[in-house]
Amino acid sequence: MTAIFGSLRLSDTDRVYNATVGQRMIYDAIADHLAMHNAALNAAMAMFVEETTENHTERFQLPGGGRLQRRGSQSDVAAVKQTGYWDVAFPLDDFGDAIAGDDVTLAYMTVRDLEKHVTTVLTRDTNTVRHELLRAMFRSTAATHVDPLWGSLTIQPLANGDGTLYPPVIGSDTEADDTHLVNTGYATANISDTNDPIAGIAIPELEQHFGQITGNSPIAVFINAAQVAKVSALTAMIEVTDRWVRPGDDTATPTGLPPIPGKIIGRHGRGAWVSQWDYIPSGYMLAVHLDAPKPLKMRVDPSDTGLPQGLTLVARDMEFPFERSTWRHRFGFGVANRLNGVAIEVSDDGAYTTPTAYA
């Protein structure tokens, strides 16, 4: 019995066109499954996405810095205001797929066949959302999105040294530009206790903006499988042990593992969880502070349009919805908090380059 249609008590070999429950009941079962798919996808995005927004542009604000003014007995102080903001914009794209066939193909389609088609669409949706999310995180330059209502929108990347003044970092009173798209200056083969991109780049870049915490910070660093051996060999790394093996009494073992993508391989002693997530391109790393405002927002259609959020099945004929079923997902990711995220290229070519997969 299939996972999607099991509640309908259909056999895997029942024909969709001649199913006794009717095509509309099958359609409704898919809609229920889509709701679970969308909820699971939203949960997976939660560490990167602060919220959904209907706005095409926003002003992102962080508190300013500096010190109070010294007052004289007869003088007043100058007015101050919050500083540290930048303008961002968000794209909105229309993604979709379709399941269709001629009358003979559809007449022979079984419930099991239909589930395979539906699962394929769900997989493609997950892949698309993840790709667009990582594309927003790794892109090194501003992009232009042509919106049919609002014209050309400038979609910002993470901090990229473009002249934006950010709030003072710890130890400074002065707003300054910054870049969180970094090249290590050494290749993966040369990662070592001396050339440690986690301790030397990822952690300090985030802590200088979001605080140095006693007991270390809630930072996650995502790496590719090609970097696991070198990163695991760092003296500062504390390995996550096999869950089927009880560690020795004198073995340091990370606890309280956070729900983050990939396979957590250990805890860096300077304050970061390290996860192998092979959607990170080989030769790159990505670091995010888990307790700071998330880097991205996801734009969706305004509620008053009546257009649904998430992956949706749109049928032309509700009585016979599978003659041609169209699947739609309208969304777009844009960086809002340009400081929460560090994209690291581990190479010796001297300058950060956007990964080819996400260019």
Side-chain angles (χ1 to χ4, degrees):
M1 185 175 292
T2 63
I4 297 177
F5 308 114
S7 63
L8 300 180
R9 300 183 182 277
L10 291 171
S11 167
D12 291 354
T13 57
D14 283 349
R15 307 289 184 190
V16 174
Y17 260 36
N18 294 323
T20 56
V21 298
Q23 290 188 39
R24 180 57 187 270
M25 291 289 288
I26 295 176
Y27 175 90
D28 289 343
I30 292 176
D32 290 341
H33 193 75
L34 279 182
M36 293 187 288
H37 164 81
N38 289 326
L41 197 55
N42 288 337
M45 295 187 300
M47 71 160 296
F48 296 103
V49 181
E50 181 71 11
E51 61 184 1
T52 60
T53 179
E54 298 177 358
N55 299 326
H56 65 288
T57 59
E58 290 183 4
R59 174 159 289 183
F60 190 88
Q61 298 180 330
L62 286 177
R67 297 186 295 270
L68 294 177
Q69 303 164 59
R70 191 182 303 276
R71 299 188 62 190
S73 60
Q74 300 296 323
S75 62
D76 201 357
V77 293
V80 297
K81 61 180 180 179
Q82 177 268 340
T83 57
Y85 68 82
W86 49 92
D87 294 326
V88 293
F90 310 105
L92 181 58
D93 291 304
D94 197 322
F95 300 93
D97 270 329
I99 298 175
D102 58 32
D103 57 340
V104 175
T105 301
L106 294 173
Y108 273 88
M109 182 185 292
T110 65
V111 170
R112 176 181 290 173
D113 294 333
L114 178 59
E115 173 147 316
K116 291 177 181 178
H117 291 312
V118 172
T119 301
T120 297
V121 173
L122 299 184
T123 299
R124 288 165 63 87
D125 180 56
T126 300
N127 292 343
T128 300
V129 171
R130 182 178 54 244
H131 181 273
E132 293 300 305
L133 184 153
L134 290 175
R135 186 166 173 253
M137 294 294 294
F138 277 108
R139 186 176 57 237
S140 62
T141 58
T144 299
H145 173 77
V146 180
D147 191 286
L149 294 178
W150 304 105
S152 295
L153 304 176
T154 300
I155 314 302
Q156 298 290 355
L158 294 172
N160 69 339
D162 61 2
T164 300
L165 296 181
Y166 300 101
V169 300
I170 294 175
S172 172
D173 294 324
T174 306
E175 295 179 345
D177 196 3
D178 200 356
T179 180
H180 282 202
L181 302 151
V182 185
N183 183 286
T184 59
Y186 49 84
T188 295
N190 295 320
I191 291 176
S192 65
D193 288 345
T194 302
N195 296 326
D196 183 346
I198 298 173
I201 300 174
I203 294 172
E205 277 290 349
L206 293 172
E207 284 190 335
Q208 69 178 349
H209 295 290
F210 304 115
Q212 299 163 335
I213 302 172
T214 301
N216 286 333
S217 300
I219 290 172
V221 178
F222 300 95
I223 67 175
N224 183 273
Q227 300 156 342
V228 168
K230 281 291 187 178
V231 171
S232 296
L234 294 171
T235 302
M237 282 293 293
I238 304 169
E239 181 185 9
V240 172
T241 58
D242 190 322
R243 65 181 178 135
W244 305 110
V245 177
R246 179 180 299 170
D249 292 341
D250 297 324
T251 301
T253 305
T255 60
L257 277 61
I260 61 177
K263 173 187 175 182
I264 299 176
I265 64 170
R267 175 82 179 167
H268 193 287
R270 280 288 307 277
W273 297 103
V274 181
S275 176
Q276 176 189 336
W277 195 29
D278 289 341
Y279 294 104
I280 301 299
S282 179
Y284 289 82
M285 297 180 174
L286 181 64
V288 178
H289 197 291
L290 302 180
D291 281 354
K294 306 300 187 291
L296 303 178
K297 289 191 179 184
M298 183 171 72
R299 183 179 166 194
V300 296
D301 290 295
S303 56
D304 60 7
T305 63
L307 293 170
Q309 296 183 22
L311 182 64
T312 307
L313 173 55
V314 183
R316 294 179 178 178
D317 185 335
M318 295 306 295
E319 287 299 320
F320 303 100
F322 300 112
E323 290 186 4
R324 178 178 176 87
S325 57
T326 300
W327 306 73
R328 171 189 287 166
H329 195 171
R330 291 174 53 82
F331 71 94
F333 291 115
V335 173
N337 185 359
R338 300 182 67 187
L339 296 175
N340 189 8
V342 184
I344 303 170
E345 181 182 8
V346 187
S347 78
D348 55 7
D349 61 11
Y352 179 89
T353 304
T354 302
T356 301
Y358 301 119

